[in-house]
Amino acid sequence: LQARAQKTHELLLSLRNLKVIDIAVSPHSERAFSDRETRMAVKRRVAFERLECIGDNAWGSHLSGRMLLVFPDKKWAHCQMHHSFNTFRDLAETNTNLERMFDLLDIAELLPPASRSIVGDGKIKADIFEAILGELNCALYAHEANLWGTSE
C-alpha cells in the first residue's frame, strides 16, 4: 500500500507541476487582498467548490463501477444486497476516509507552504482531496477523443 501511495504521490506532484492540478491546490488565505487579488481569490474559491462537487460525484460513480467490476457475481440489485452496496460506498465516501487518503498520499506537499499550516485536521482535507479528483476528472474529459478521433 505504501509503495502504491508513493507512486501516486509522485504522479500527483508531476500533474501539479504540469498545471493539470492547479485550482484544487491553490492557496486560500484569510489575509487582505488588493481588489484585483480579492476578485481572483473569490473566483478560485468558486472554482474550487465546483471541482469539489465534481470530485465527490466522480468518486461515488467510480466506487460503484469498481464494485460491480470486482464483484460481478454479487446480485447488487436484489433487496438483500443493495444495503451492503450502499453501506460500502457510503463508508468509502466519508470525510474520515478521504482525510486518510489525503494523509496517505501526502497531499499536503502539493499545497503552497503557506496553505499547509492552515489545513490542520478535519473536513478541509476531504474537500481538497475531492477537488483534486474533480480537477483530474475534468482534465480527462477535456482530453477525451471526439467523434472524429482527435482530442482538443
Side-chain angles (χ1 to χ4, degrees):
L1 186 61
Q2 288 292 19
R4 279 186 167 185
Q6 180 60 34
K7 181 66 177 170
T8 303
H9 175 76
E10 291 167 8
L11 292 170
L12 289 172
L13 279 172
S14 297
L15 291 170
R16 186 210 50 199
N17 293 339
L18 293 170
K19 301 289 187 211
V20 172
I21 300 172
D22 177 39
I23 295 171
V25 295
S26 64
H28 300 288
S29 174
E30 300 299 322
R31 70 178 177 83
F33 293 112
S34 69
D35 286 341
R36 182 177 177 279
E37 289 173 326
T38 301
R39 285 192 304 273
M40 183 55 99
V42 168
K43 285 180 184 178
R44 289 183 82 75
R45 187 67 198 170
V46 169
F48 178 89
E49 295 292 335
R50 288 180 181 157
L51 289 172
E52 179 191 347
C53 180
I54 291 168
D56 185 27
N57 288 295
W59 181 242
S61 177
H62 173 75
L63 287 172
S64 297
R66 193 74 180 151
M67 285 177 62
L68 294 172
L69 183 68
V70 172
F71 304 109
D73 58 326
K74 299 290 183 189
K75 306 217 179 335
W76 295 115
H78 288 66
C79 284
Q80 298 141 338
M81 294 303 293
H82 85 279
H83 179 71
S84 299
F85 183 89
N86 289 336
T87 301
F88 175 81
R89 206 182 84 195
D90 290 348
L91 179 64
E93 291 179 335
T94 63
N95 284 341
T96 302
N97 281 326
L98 296 177
E99 289 170 34
R100 287 183 184 142
M101 293 297 294
F102 182 99
D103 292 335
L104 181 65
L105 298 174
D106 195 18
I107 290 176
E109 189 180 331
L110 301 174
L111 304 174
S115 296
R116 292 177 199 165
S117 61
I118 63 170
V119 169
D121 289 325
K123 188 176 177 335
I124 188 66
K125 286 182 176 181
D127 292 347
I128 292 170
F129 184 75
E130 288 172 336
I132 288 172
L133 292 175
E135 201 153 10
L136 290 173
N137 197 49
C138 288
L140 285 174
Y141 279 110
H143 293 92
E144 187 175 65
N146 65 24
L147 293 174
W148 297 275
T150 61
S151 62
E152 298 174 6

